[in-house]
Amino acid sequence: MELQGNCVIAPIYPTNPDKDAYTDEEANILDKMHKEKIKISDAILVVNVDGYIGNSTQSEIEYAKSLNKEIIYYTDLKEKNERK
């Protein structure tokens, strides 16, 4: 996406399947900062490998929609590139 002239803002914290990896306070801070990144963005890219979208990602999609942000899905980009 950067090679297409886009400035990419990505989450920098590691995703961890262990729900106890962060304290509640840390998890809330990370969630707030992630939503701030969505707020300052023009669009979000949803990395929905095999069509999977988890609860947290769905929440972020809904937040982006509430701000009238463009939603781009990885699977749509992949399909578009495969047709070329």
Side-chain angles (χ1 to χ4, degrees), residues 14-72:
T15 55
N16 191 328
D18 180 6
K19 293 182 181 185
D20 297 325
Y22 304 106
T23 66
D24 288 343
E25 181 181 1
E26 290 171 331
N28 287 333
I29 290 169
L30 292 173
D31 183 57
K32 181 179 177 186
M33 291 300 96
H34 196 66
K35 287 186 173 157
E36 286 297 316
K37 290 177 183 182
I38 292 170
K39 191 185 295 185
I40 65 173
S41 300
D42 295 324
I44 66 167
L45 171 64
V46 178
V47 182
N48 58 331
V49 177
D50 296 328
Y52 174 78
I53 297 175
N55 292 335
S56 178
T57 302
Q58 186 61 47
S59 170
E60 292 161 359
I61 291 168
E62 295 305 318
Y63 181 69
K65 285 181 180 178
S66 77
L67 298 173
N68 295 313
K69 304 295 180 173
E70 180 181 5
I71 314 297
I72 304 165

Side-chain angles (χ1 to χ4, degrees), residues 70-83:
E70 180 181 5
I71 314 297
I72 304 165
Y73 294 90
Y74 167 79
T75 51
D76 293 344
L77 292 176
K78 184 177 175 187
E79 288 175 17
K80 182 178 175 182
N81 286 332
E82 289 173 353
R83 285 185 257 152

